[in-house]
Amino acid sequence: MARVIIIRYGEIFLKGKNKSYFESLLVSNIKASLKDIKHVFNRSQGRFFVENFAKDDEAEIVDRLKKVFGIYSLSVADKVETKYPEDFADIRESIKELSQRLEEESTLKNPKFRVTVKRADKRIPITSAEIAADFGGIVLENTSFSVDLKHFDYEINVDIRENGWAFVYSEVIMGAGGLPVGCSNRGLLLLSGGIDSPVAAYMMAKRGMKLVAIHFASPPYTSERAKQKVVELRDIVSKYTTDMKLMVVPFTDIQLAIHEYCPAEYMITIMRRFMMRIASIVAEENDCRAIITGESLGQVASQTVESMTSTEDTALLPIFRPLIAFDKEETMTLAKKIGTFETSIEPFEDCCTIFLPKNPAIKPKLDTVRRAEKEIPNADELIKKAIEGIEVL
Ligand code: ATP
Ligand code: MG
């Protein structure tokens, strides 16, 4: 019996005349996510189908598809010949096997079921309800389940397609939802090694934004291993965001200069202003229209309204902060769900922790910061050098 994965897509249906654009983006993202797995991709009547894959790859394919934004839900089905006007023999066999399997796996007391038939094959003169009643008999014969059309624990679906094939399945697996990556422009993600920024990436990608990532490293104060951790985070997040280029900026000289010329309490604020200057230039070069950070209001000294005002002052693009109103708890829950948490909590130095002042300014005044920063004699040159030193991973 052949297997097929049925892919349903939701929100993008709403988009009227953009529908075919959204669909084709989704198709290319699905194909990209499965590119190293043998399969055949088909589409028909508002559904996509993945078929002809090896049995051993089935779980991996489902796992990858669950991470493709724009997919509403999935089902893994038996694909059988309809065999009409014969007696639907293969469908019957499939229903028998499926219902027996459901019973074996069930931990419920007196489970209830129903059979739902959809019949696109209009040659068949009997109604869907009549066929469903007939098929329900197979489940009754082979399991201890009883019928309940309203309050059922299991639904056995039989889709009789027009082309002589039918799909039999029960489980509907929820997809990642959202919009296909690529439909909402490109953004430059400031990716640290922490918990927050990978989650921010996930959230923007969910709204269809394609991402390019930038990481500020300060060797030798930050190690090769710390950089490797960021690469790992990028790799995990890429399963949701589609491929994501990562650029590593050498940030040491800028930090040393700030440390040398500026008051300690403004270290973080000024450092973040430099990050935004560099990010703005790199964004332009990479055709990105927004800057994304993992900041959350009030989380640390650099994430007050005043600090963000100071930071934004040097950005040439809008800054999106999808976690702005999240509790740490909520962010951690999402990080665990997307699989970045364990990597994020590995203890490696971050450039932000170097020369960390004892008492950072919590409410920096913009004009004071601007003035303090002017003390750095060769700021433009430092920025230019940092950008020239970018390593693409
Ligand atoms: P995260 O968990 O994402 O590291 P955080 O709670 O540690 O965030 P900060 O260190 O203040 O907060 O950083 C706020 C945001 O600034 C990060 O979410 C990230 O987007 C960006 N950022 C901080 N450090 C770096 C870095 N070394 N490289 C790139 N971006 C950074
Ligand atoms: Mg951090």
Side-chain angles (χ1 to χ4, degrees):
M1 212 176 298
R3 300 279 273 175
V4 56
I5 297 169
I6 305 166
I7 301 174
R8 306 175 191 88
Y9 43 97
E11 189 171 350
I12 57 180
F13 257 129
L14 304 172
K15 295 285 172 174
K17 61 179 191 293
N18 283 335
K19 191 178 152 211
S20 66
Y21 168 64
F22 282 60
E23 278 180 353
S24 65
L25 259 181
L26 181 54
V27 170
S28 67
N29 291 348
I30 289 171
K31 288 182 176 170
S33 90
L34 302 180
K35 65 173 182 294
D36 56 336
I37 301 181
K38 187 187 145 293
H39 71 282
V40 172
F41 180 91
N42 286 310
R43 50 198 296 180
S44 122
Q45 297 169 346
R47 296 261 191 282
F48 300 143
F49 304 95
V50 176
E51 307 181 57
N52 293 13
F53 47 82
K55 178 108 195 70
D56 286 348
D57 290 333
E58 184 178 296
E60 176 67 18
I61 294 174
V62 170
D63 194 54
R64 292 198 196 175
L65 291 175
K66 276 163 76 178
K67 295 174 176 163
V68 176
F69 289 123
I71 293 180
Y72 177 72
S73 73
L74 306 163
S75 288
V76 185
D78 285 335
K79 181 183 179 182
V80 294
E81 276 184 64
T82 302
K83 298 218 166 142
Y84 180 83
E86 300 151 62
D87 63 348
F88 301 120
D90 291 0
I91 298 179
R92 288 177 196 282
E93 183 58 29
S94 170
I95 292 173
K96 180 181 162 191
E97 279 176 24
L98 173 60
S99 58
Q100 286 174 335
R101 181 154 34 96
L102 290 174
E103 181 168 48
E104 255 171 51
E105 290 166 6
S106 180
T107 53
L108 301 169
K109 243 186 169 173
N110 307 321
K112 307 281 190 289
F113 81 97
R114 81 171 192 193
V115 175
T116 303
V117 173
K118 287 202 197 86
R119 181 181 48 115
D121 187 344
K122 296 302 174 201
R123 291 174 307 159
I124 302 173
I126 335 160
T127 67
S128 295
E130 284 168 322
I131 305 173
D134 174 13
F135 289 166
I138 305 168
V139 183
L140 291 172
E141 258 168 50
N142 289 283
T143 67
S144 61
F145 291 2
S146 49
V147 178
D148 192 326
L149 298 185
K150 273 220 172 88
H151 308 284
F152 50 89
D153 303 299
Y154 300 104
E155 181 171 35
I156 292 176
N157 295 283
V158 182
D159 287 357
I160 304 176
R161 316 279 303 176
E162 275 166 339
N163 51 6
W165 292 98
F167 300 148
V168 180
Y169 63 92
S170 177
E171 199 188 357
V172 176
I173 303 162
M174 291 317 290
L179 298 169
V181 169
C183 75
S184 303
N185 230 305
R186 283 157 76 94
L188 183 71
L189 169 75
L190 269 66
L191 181 62
S192 68
I195 296 170
D196 303 329
S197 40
V199 176
Y202 166 88
M203 291 180 74
M204 294 318 299
K206 184 167 187 179
R207 295 314 302 161
M209 186 168 256
K210 173 90 184 163
L211 299 170
V212 175
I214 187 172
H215 174 72
F216 296 90
S218 300
Y221 304 96
T222 60
S223 63
E224 190 58 30
R225 188 62 193 83
K227 191 165 85 183
Q228 210 45 48
K229 173 181 164 181
V230 178
V231 174
E232 263 169 50
L233 286 172
R234 186 273 307 269
D235 292 344
I236 299 169
V237 163
S238 299
K239 291 177 185 153
Y240 294 92
T241 62
T242 72
D243 63 316
M244 184 162 80
K245 174 163 119 177
L246 171 62
M247 291 169 280
V248 179
V249 183
F251 203 50
T252 319
D253 289 348
I254 290 175
Q255 282 190 287
L256 289 171
I258 302 170
H259 183 60
E260 184 175 348
Y261 294 105
C262 308
E265 73 253 46
Y266 296 129
M267 177 81 208
I268 294 177
T269 310
I270 295 175
M271 192 180 86
R272 300 191 64 78
R273 287 167 62 86
F274 275 89
M275 283 185 179
M276 286 304 164
R277 288 192 175 97
I278 292 171
S280 298
I281 297 168
V282 173
E284 175 85 47
E285 289 172 358
N286 285 274
D287 204 20
C288 295
R289 304 297 157 85
I291 294 170
I292 323 297
T293 79
E295 289 165 299
S296 157
L297 188 62
Q299 194 177 83
V300 288
S302 64
Q303 297 179 19
T304 61
V305 173
E306 291 83 353
S307 294
M308 291 187 213
T309 305
S310 278
T311 308
E312 295 214 4
D313 184 44
T314 58
L316 302 174
L317 292 170
I319 302 175
F320 293 165
R321 301 176 173 92
L323 306 182
I324 194 70
F326 267 37
D327 290 344
K328 196 77 194 182
E329 224 23 71
E330 292 171 292
T331 305
M332 279 162 52
T333 304
L334 252 183
K336 285 174 191 163
K337 184 185 134 183
I338 66 180
T340 51
F341 185 76
E342 292 303 325
T343 307
S344 287
I345 58 173
E346 284 173 21
F348 292 107
E349 342 60 40
D350 182 72
C351 74
C352 299
T353 54
I354 303 164
F355 312 126
L356 206 62
K358 276 207 188 68
N359 300 304
I362 294 170
K363 299 183 172 187
K365 281 218 175 64
L366 186 53
D367 49 350
T368 316
V369 174
R370 282 178 178 161
R371 223 178 309 123
E373 189 184 69
K374 285 225 169 72
E375 296 300 316
I376 301 173
N378 52 345
D380 289 344
E381 196 185 311
L382 288 172
I383 290 172
K384 191 163 164 267
K385 251 184 73 191
I387 291 172
E388 281 167 5
I390 284 177
E391 179 191 4
V392 179
L393 296 174

